[in-house]
Amino acid sequence: MIVNFAESAITTEEELRNIVGSPHKNVVNKTISVIDEHCKNFIARSPLLFLATADSKGHCDVSPRGDEPGTVLVLNDHQLVIPDRPGNKRLDSISNILSNPQIGLLFLIPGLDDVLRINGRATIIKNDDILNQMSLKGKKPLLGIGVDVEEAFIHCPRALNQSNIWNRESWEDKEALPTLMEIFHAHLKINGVEVKA
């Protein structure tokens, strides 16, 4: 059954605020426009970030980026660079940035329920001096995602805490789940592509 979401849609800020309310002033004022020492420390220890982009038409994408802690390079109090290592060549995030530079980042540290959120404007760069500083196992990234930071703030631990994400006892049994290849082949089949095992 297809649901018509428009029938119960919230369409104005006023209607939204009447239901949810307004944030405490400290929640609003915690947002800063610089990469301070606390942000730098968090980024230096984070091996995983999520990169949110959208193209010029508003089509969105979120991409996980994993690397050794400290691989994201903080250039100064207002700029950082994310290495773009060789991958599947889809270039979803990169293509989006070319048409719409606004991005959102979530930095995570394993075992920590707090999340660092950064929003800003991205530029795809090929500056060898910068890329060489982010080499991994002797190989520099093909490209970098330069970010001019507009907002930075620590997000409360509620989501990660309630999800119990770091508690191994809450994890699914891997043997009960389909493998990546099984899912990949099933999705290819939906698109009419048969892969022989």
Side-chain angles (χ1 to χ4, degrees):
M1 179 181 82
I2 301 296
V3 176
N4 182 356
F5 291 126
E7 290 178 354
S8 61
I10 303 298
T11 58
T12 67
E13 176 83 18
E14 181 182 11
E15 188 179 5
L16 182 63
R17 288 299 176 192
N18 284 338
I19 295 171
V20 178
S22 297
H24 188 278
K25 66 178 182 177
N26 289 346
V27 172
V28 175
N29 291 332
K30 72 178 179 178
T31 303
I32 58 177
S33 59
V34 297
I35 310 170
D36 73 347
E37 292 306 314
H38 295 293
C39 293
K40 289 175 185 173
N41 184 42
F42 201 106
I43 292 168
R45 287 166 169 71
S46 173
L48 177 65
L49 67 90
F50 291 88
L51 170 64
T53 60
D55 66 16
S56 59
K57 295 179 181 176
H59 300 122
C60 299
D61 184 71
V62 178
S63 173
R65 300 295 173 113
D67 228 323
E68 292 182 357
T71 308
V72 171
L73 182 63
V74 176
L75 297 177
N76 52 57
D77 290 349
H78 299 280
Q79 295 177 308
L80 59 84
V81 181
I82 302 162
D84 192 63
R85 309 226 184 258
N88 61 17
K89 301 183 183 178
R90 282 183 54 107
L91 300 178
D92 298 308
S93 302
I94 299 294
S95 296
N96 285 347
I97 291 168
L98 289 176
S99 66
N100 175 4
Q102 294 301 139
I103 66 165
L105 306 171
L106 285 180
F107 288 89
L108 285 84
I109 297 173
L112 188 66
D113 289 333
D114 305 309
V115 175
L116 175 64
R117 292 173 58 176
I118 291 182
N119 298 315
R121 293 179 62 83
T123 304
I124 309 305
I125 64 168
K126 56 181 182 178
N127 180 312
D128 282 336
D129 291 337
I130 292 174
L131 297 180
N132 284 329
Q133 294 180 60
M134 296 184 290
S135 291
L136 184 64
K137 297 177 183 172
K139 292 186 178 180
K140 71 176 183 181
L142 296 176
L143 300 167
I145 301 171
V147 180
D148 290 295
V149 173
E150 296 172 341
E151 294 181 317
F153 58 97
I154 288 292
H155 193 89
C156 75
R158 183 177 180 273
L160 271 65
N161 193 349
Q162 289 195 340
S163 71
N164 223 2
I165 190 73
W166 306 123
N167 180 3
R168 284 182 174 267
E169 294 176 7
S170 72
W171 294 358
E172 290 279 344
D173 177 13
K174 288 184 181 179
E175 300 301 319
L177 300 172
T179 66
L180 173 66
M181 232 6 112
E182 288 171 337
I183 297 169
F184 180 56
H185 288 172
H187 288 182
L188 287 175
K189 189 173 182 180
I190 289 171
N191 287 323
V193 179
E194 291 282 354
V195 179
K196 293 181 180 178

